[in-house]
């Protein structure tokens, strides 16, 4: 298949400091390389312009979603490094290095697709392919800058170190890259995203595996939320969700399904709320249950998933399952194992993971309304949302108010301190929305980004009784640039 050929020759022709094998690709004559000469080949090229490794493992274990469950026989080195916020240079599934490489591989694919589209522009109409490639390139850079750089702060973004924004395919073996500032990275993302939105389409055989108009607008809503442009968040969110009560993921209905059914549906194209699903080479389906660090019996589970943390004091509609006496998990993942040698029992684990869904759009929309001090509008969205997440919810009597929110999510001085100012009422709502997100997206890695953007402090307890603290402005919230990238000339993050 053309995709496999491209994976071998073009996919790895990316940042020279990050990958090996470029020399083999670059030593070939152009005539020996796969020729991209048709719309179908361009489209197949773009299918690999999405990161094929997951970030959920590292983001979850670094966040306050993780607790030391203890008494688990083995502790993997990567998990321990992440839980203690140590710089890791392990190159394995779920590691920062692996995700960094995967994002730049995806960017390389997008750039090659865009170059081929430019070459073929007088022969074919490739506008929708160009739109998808631009948005995919923007997305991979967005994820990189939000792991390896400081969160966007309008007052410092022009001097904060970002990541290299790569705009062209690799044509030389050793190319020198520099770190753009966070502002430059965001400007590039916005340019790609804006142009891509004007071009991207919906005509795919499997649309939820591509950036469609809805998925692209969901990305735009997240991008502008992180940038603090609240009107833009609302503009793009309203293009995706028009009736939040009926479009939010119905977790109450999930409660009527068995464990297998929930796993099969949650990240599938059959779930109406899902907007973009990416297939990743991942072991997270196993690790989210088996890692020593995660949903603990005594702390995280009662803190998040019992009725005491529900504004109406009713049971949440999130089912949690106990895999042994020490650990719980919420069912979301169904691993597909692709055998390369069935008799030897070896192959690769794959996982479908939802990158954008309507729940996030609804909550992002509510957060933007809060920042504009449109509290009634925010409450309308939050009431519509929580009705799908609460068992025995009664819309006639169960209505969120400031009093109920304050009782469950009290405002604590100096807890939520983003780069922009919040009054007490905004803080109350922002904390409640962040807590709603924390439950809905548990095991998915989203909480880490809220830890960063709200400057939350985290304490990780160890089973031996000691505590480790990640302070509000802790430099470890920016992952360290991989050693291979540093050896190629990229400046490391300060420690």
């Amino acid at each position: 298949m053309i995709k496999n050929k491209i994976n071998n020759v073009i996919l790895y022709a990316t940042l020279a400091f990050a990958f090996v094998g470029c020399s083999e690709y670059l030593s070939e004559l152009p005539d020996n390389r796969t020729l991209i000469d048709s719309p179908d080949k361009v489209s197949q090229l773009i299918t690999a312009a999405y990161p094929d490794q997951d970030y959920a493992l590292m983001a979850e274990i670094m966040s306050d979603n993780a607790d030391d469950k203890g008494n688990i026989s083995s502790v993997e080195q990567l998990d321990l490094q992440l839980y203690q916020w140590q710089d890791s240079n392990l190159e394995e599934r779920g590691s920062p290095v692996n995700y960094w490489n995967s994002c730049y591989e995806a960017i390389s694919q997008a750039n090659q697709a865009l170059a081929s589209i430019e070459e073929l522009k007088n022969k074919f109409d490739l506008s929708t392919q160009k739109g998808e490639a631009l948005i995919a390139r923007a997305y991979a850079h967005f994820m990189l800058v939000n792991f390896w750089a400081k969160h966007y702060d309008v007052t410092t973004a022009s001097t904060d170190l970002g990541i290299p924004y790569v705009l062209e395919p690799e044509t030389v073996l050793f190319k020198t890259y520099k770190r753009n500032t966070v502002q430059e990275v965001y400007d590039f993302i916005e340019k790609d995203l804006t142009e891509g939105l004007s071009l991207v389409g919906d005509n795919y055989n499997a649309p939820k595996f591509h950036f469609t108009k809805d998925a692209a607008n969901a990305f735009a809503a997240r991008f502008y939320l992180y940038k603090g442009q609240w009107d833009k968040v609302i503009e793009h969110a309203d293009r995706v969700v028009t009736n939040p009560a009926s479009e939010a993921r119905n977790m109450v209905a999930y409660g009527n399904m068995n464990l297998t059914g929930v796993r099969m549906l949650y990240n599938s194209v059959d779930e109406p709320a899902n907007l973009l699903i990416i297939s990743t080479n991942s072991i997270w389906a196993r690790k989210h249950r088996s890692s020593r660090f995660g949903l603990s019996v005594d702390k995280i589970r009662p803190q998040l998933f019992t009725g005491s943390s529900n504004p109406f004091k009713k049971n949440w509609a999130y089912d949690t399952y106990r895999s042994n006496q020490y650990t719980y998990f919420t069912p979301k993942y169904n691993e597909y194992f692709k055998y390369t040698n069935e008799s030897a029992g070896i192959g690769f684990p794959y996982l479908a993971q939802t990158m954008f869904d309507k729940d996030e759009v609804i909550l992002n929309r509510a957060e933007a309304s809060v920042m504009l001090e449109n509290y009634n509008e925010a409450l309308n969205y939050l009431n519509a949302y929580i009705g799908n997440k609460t068992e025995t919810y009664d819309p006639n009597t169960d209505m969120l108010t400031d009093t109920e929110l304050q009782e469950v999510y009290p405002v604590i001085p100096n807890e939520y301190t983003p780069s922009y100012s919040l009054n007490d009422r905004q803080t109350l709502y922002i904390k409640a929305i962040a807590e709603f997100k924390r439950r809905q997206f548990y095991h998915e890695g989203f909480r880490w980004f809220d830890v960063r953007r709200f400057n939350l402090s985290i304490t990780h307890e160890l089973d031996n009784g000691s505590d480790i603290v990640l302070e509000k402005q802790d430099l470890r919230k920016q992952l360290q640039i991989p050693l291979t990238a540093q050896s190629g000339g990229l400046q490391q993050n300060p420690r």
Side-chain angles (χ1 to χ4, degrees):
M1 291 177 61
I2 182 72
K3 181 179 177 181
N4 291 332
K5 292 180 180 177
I6 291 169
N7 282 343
N8 289 333
V9 296
I10 295 177
L11 179 60
Y12 297 102
T14 184
L15 295 179
F17 52 70
F19 306 105
V20 296
C22 293
S23 58
E24 181 177 343
Y25 169 71
L26 292 168
S27 65
E28 290 187 24
L29 294 173
D31 289 347
N32 292 334
R33 301 182 189 180
T34 302
L35 184 62
I36 309 299
D37 58 1
S38 71
D40 183 59
K41 289 181 180 179
V42 170
S43 295
Q44 292 186 56
L45 185 61
I46 298 171
T47 62
Y50 298 83
D52 66 351
Q53 304 292 320
D54 80 85
Y55 61 81
L57 186 153
M58 64 181 186
E60 280 292 297
I61 293 179
M62 289 190 296
S63 79
D64 53 354
N65 279 349
D67 188 31
D68 187 351
K69 294 176 283 189
N71 293 315
I72 295 176
S73 58
S74 63
V75 180
E76 299 204 18
Q77 184 182 4
L78 175 62
D79 296 21
L80 187 60
Q81 288 177 339
L82 293 170
Y83 188 73
Q84 298 184 91
W85 305 296
Q86 296 173 353
D87 295 344
S88 175
N89 280 288
L90 296 174
E91 298 186 28
E92 57 188 65
R93 294 185 187 95
S95 68
V97 174
N98 222 34
Y99 190 67
W100 167 281
N101 291 350
S102 178
C103 284
Y104 277 116
E105 288 174 8
I107 290 163
S108 178
Q109 287 286 87
N111 283 335
Q112 184 58 56
L114 290 166
S116 298
I117 289 167
E118 181 64 22
E119 292 172 2
L120 298 172
K121 66 181 180 181
N122 294 325
K123 295 182 179 180
F124 307 102
D125 179 7
L126 297 169
S127 55
T128 57
Q129 288 95 328
K130 182 177 182 180
E132 183 182 5
L134 285 168
I135 295 171
R137 180 170 73 182
Y139 172 73
H141 283 107
F142 178 79
M143 298 307 296
L144 287 163
V145 78
N146 278 288
F147 273 117
W148 278 273
K150 290 184 178 180
H151 183 72
Y152 185 89
D153 179 344
V154 67
T155 63
T156 63
S158 61
T159 55
D160 288 337
L161 282 173
I163 46 92
Y165 204 99
V166 183
L167 296 167
E168 298 175 346
E170 278 299 313
T171 56
V172 296
L173 180 55
F174 295 109
K175 184 173 181 178
T176 301
Y177 289 89
K178 71 177 184 69
R179 295 181 67 175
N180 295 96
T181 66
V182 170
Q183 185 65 58
E184 289 170 336
V185 173
Y186 267 70
D187 288 345
F188 279 127
I189 291 171
E190 187 166 20
K191 183 176 184 297
D192 279 349
L193 184 54
T194 301
E195 184 178 0
L197 277 164
S198 70
L199 299 171
V200 73
D202 294 316
N203 188 22
Y204 300 102
N205 291 330
K208 291 188 178 182
F209 290 100
H210 299 267
F211 267 116
T212 58
K213 291 182 185 296
D214 276 354
N217 277 292
F219 174 25
R222 185 192 297 178
F223 170 77
Y224 287 113
L225 187 80
Y226 284 22
K227 197 178 179 188
Q229 293 183 242
W230 318 120
D231 288 331
K232 287 278 193 178
V233 177
I234 292 172
E235 173 190 339
H236 290 283
D238 285 350
R239 294 177 185 175
V240 182
V241 174
T242 56
N243 188 343
S246 64
E247 295 181 66
R249 190 186 299 265
N250 191 340
M251 296 307 301
V252 176
Y254 274 75
N256 297 322
M257 302 169 62
N258 60 26
L259 177 63
T260 300
V262 173
R263 283 174 169 166
M264 293 293 290
L265 179 60
Y266 196 91
N267 290 294
S268 81
V269 297
D270 295 325
E271 167 52 62
N274 290 340
L275 298 172
L276 178 66
I277 301 165
I278 294 179
S279 177
T280 59
N281 179 207
S282 170
I283 56 171
W284 186 231
R286 312 170 196 177
K287 291 293 290 291
H288 81 289
R289 292 177 293 164
S290 63
S291 174
R292 175 168 168 169
F293 309 108
L295 187 59
S296 59
V297 173
D298 299 324
K299 181 181 177 182
I300 303 297
R301 181 180 176 273
Q303 184 183 89
L304 293 183
F305 294 112
T306 59
S308 62
S309 64
N310 183 287
F312 309 121
K313 298 298 185 287
K314 295 184 175 183
N315 289 331
W316 290 105
Y318 302 105
D319 286 334
T320 57
Y321 289 78
R322 198 164 187 163
S323 54
N324 58 48
Q325 63 177 315
Y326 307 114
T327 182
Y328 276 90
F329 68 96
T330 63
K332 291 186 174 181
Y333 299 112
N334 190 49
E335 182 181 294
Y336 165 68
F337 193 83
K338 183 178 180 180
Y339 286 97
T340 54
N341 187 325
E342 194 161 357
S343 61
I346 58 175
F348 298 99
Y350 286 91
L351 201 61
Q353 293 180 290
T354 301
M355 298 294 107
F356 293 96
D357 73 0
K358 291 187 178 182
D359 277 351
E360 186 201 356
V361 174
I362 292 166
L363 293 176
N364 288 347
R365 208 304 188 174
E367 185 175 328
S369 296
V370 169
M371 294 311 303
L372 295 172
E373 299 191 74
N374 296 327
Y375 299 107
N376 289 336
E377 187 174 79
L379 278 174
N380 288 338
Y381 275 83
L382 295 178
N383 277 305
Y385 173 85
I386 201 171
N388 288 281
K389 320 299 179 186
T390 302
E391 292 180 3
T392 67
Y393 174 80
D394 185 344
N396 296 313
T397 58
D398 297 334
M399 298 294 290
L400 290 173
T401 65
D402 287 25
T403 300
E404 286 172 320
L405 292 178
Q406 176 65 30
E407 182 179 347
V408 183
Y409 313 118
V411 174
I412 299 173
N414 203 39
E415 181 183 22
Y416 277 69
T417 56
S419 60
Y420 43 88
S421 62
L422 297 174
N423 61 40
D424 284 348
R425 195 176 186 192
Q426 285 174 322
T427 303
L428 171 63
Y429 279 74
I430 293 301
K431 181 175 180 177
I433 292 168
E435 288 292 326
F436 289 170
K437 282 186 177 180
R438 190 179 180 189
R439 286 158 183 79
Q440 183 59 50
F441 301 117
Y442 199 89
H443 293 318
E444 297 181 52
F446 286 2
R447 176 63 173 178
W448 178 246
F449 303 114
D450 280 356
V451 167
R452 285 167 41 87
R453 67 194 188 98
F454 294 126
N455 290 319
L456 300 179
S457 175
I458 301 175
T459 298
H460 274 174
E461 300 173 2
L462 289 171
D463 191 45
N464 63 11
S466 62
D467 291 347
I468 313 169
V469 180
L470 189 73
E471 303 290 354
K472 283 180 163 294
Q473 300 291 342
D474 204 304
L475 295 175
R476 292 173 296 176
K477 288 183 178 179
Q478 291 75 249
L479 294 176
Q480 188 55 271
I481 301 296
L483 285 177
T484 47
Q486 292 183 40
S487 66
L490 277 197
Q491 182 178 347
Q492 65 179 328
N493 281 326
R495 286 290 185 262

